[in-house]
DNA sequence: AAGACGTGGCC
DNA sequence: TGGCCAAGTCT
């Protein structure tokens, strides 16, 4: 091999993180070499705002039951919601169900490998689209999630934490860390996320074990504390979110449609309860049967025309 | 463009 | 104990 005429711009940060990742990456089921892009897509839906440990068992069962998009598309909405279990944010399950139907019907049962096509699917935004391109197809794509934003904020910018998203600038920051080569870039993308997930964590980062501590702008600056604006922590107790959760919990456990009285017992505030039940109907997570009972369900993809 | 949207574990 | 946090998306 001849040496390149011009030095390829490389990032020590990206390369060292990738080396560390190749040696230390967690053995997660969706990282197995035989995982399909569909398996990656399912994992990304489940991992949105949800810890790895809770996702693992659900992902295993899900992929055994629905190994291809068309299989999920053929399932009923109640089946899908029960399989989702208590992962949280059940609208994700509904959107994954709808995305599967679209992939089966419009993409020949093959998960798109193009960012724009992916983002056109329900429940898939900037992060998930690029994660599928990188981890499902081994292609170069800047993957920006909360972990990566924190790593970049610290290691590159020397700040204590990331602050509010700056979508374009964040993408550019990460893009600058990726090598040109597709598969090498995909490894760096996974590696940056892993670093943020296990080493460069939000509280008590493990800088002593960090593969890039020598290149870290935050350490160089003396690990200054983050002073910028914090996203307000969302309350939960007493919110519609909690009530919806309780309602759905009853419907998930029920083998047959339940009378409204079975739902009334989970929350004493009547108006709030009714509002939440209605929102579940609107979201396609619950449905009312002809005899006025309630059940898991709602719009099933493919049944409308 | 803030705020809604579940659930549970950790310190 | 209770705030904080966990691979976001949508409106």
């Amino acid at each position: 091999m001849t040496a390149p005429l011009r030095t390829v711009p490389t990032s020590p940060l990206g390369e060292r993180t990738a080396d560390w990742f190749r040696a230390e990456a967690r053995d997660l089921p969706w990282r197995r070499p035989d995982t399909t892009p569909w398996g990656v897509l399912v994992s990304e839906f489940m991992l949105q705002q949800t810890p790895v440990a809770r996702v693992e068992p659900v992902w295993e069962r899900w992929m055994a039951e629905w190994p291809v998009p068309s299989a999920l598309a053929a399932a009923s909405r109640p089946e899908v919601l029960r399989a989702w279990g208590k992962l949280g944010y059940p609208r994700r399950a509904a959107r994954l169900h709808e995305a599967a139907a679209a992939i089966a019907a419009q993409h020949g049962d093959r998960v798109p490998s193009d960012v724009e096509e992916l983002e056109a699917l329900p429940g898939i935004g900037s992060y998930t689209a690029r994660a599928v391109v990188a981890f499902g197809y081994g292609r170069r794509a800047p993957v920006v999630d909360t972990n990566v934003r924190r790593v970049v904020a610290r290691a590159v910018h020397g700040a204590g934490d990331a602050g509010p998203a700056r979508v374009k600038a964040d993408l550019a920051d990460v893009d600058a860390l990726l090598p040109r080569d597709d598969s090498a870039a995909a490894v760096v993308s996974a590696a940056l996320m892993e670093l943020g997930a296990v080493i460069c964590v939000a509280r008590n980062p493990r800088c002593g074990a960090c593969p890039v501590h020598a290149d870290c702008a935050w350490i160089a600056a003396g690990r200054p504390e983050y002073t910028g604006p914090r996203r307000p922590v969302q309350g939960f107790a007493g919110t519609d979110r909690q009530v919806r959760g309780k309602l759905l919990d009853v419907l998930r456990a029920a083998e047959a449609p339940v009378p409204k009285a079975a739902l009334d017992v989970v929350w004493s505030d009547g108006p709030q309860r009714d509002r939440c039940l209605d929102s579940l109907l609107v979201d396609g997570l619950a449905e009312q049967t002809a005899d006025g009972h309630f059940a898991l369900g709602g719009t099933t993809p493919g049944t409308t025309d």
Side-chain angles (χ1 to χ4, degrees), chain A residues 5 19 21 28 36 56 66 74 115-117 129 175 219 274 300:
Chain A
L5 295 179
D19 288 342
F21 179 78
L28 304 177
T36 61
E56 280 186 334
W66 300 304
V115 167
E116 283 203 9
E117 287 184 310
D175 189 84
I219 293 180
D274 291 347
T300 300

Side-chain angles (χ1 to χ4, degrees), chain A residues 49 127 144-151 161-162 196:
Chain A
Q49 301 285 281
Y127 162 77
V144 179
D145 76 330
T146 185
N147 290 310
V148 173
R149 294 199 333 105
R150 185 171 54 249
V151 168
D161 212 334

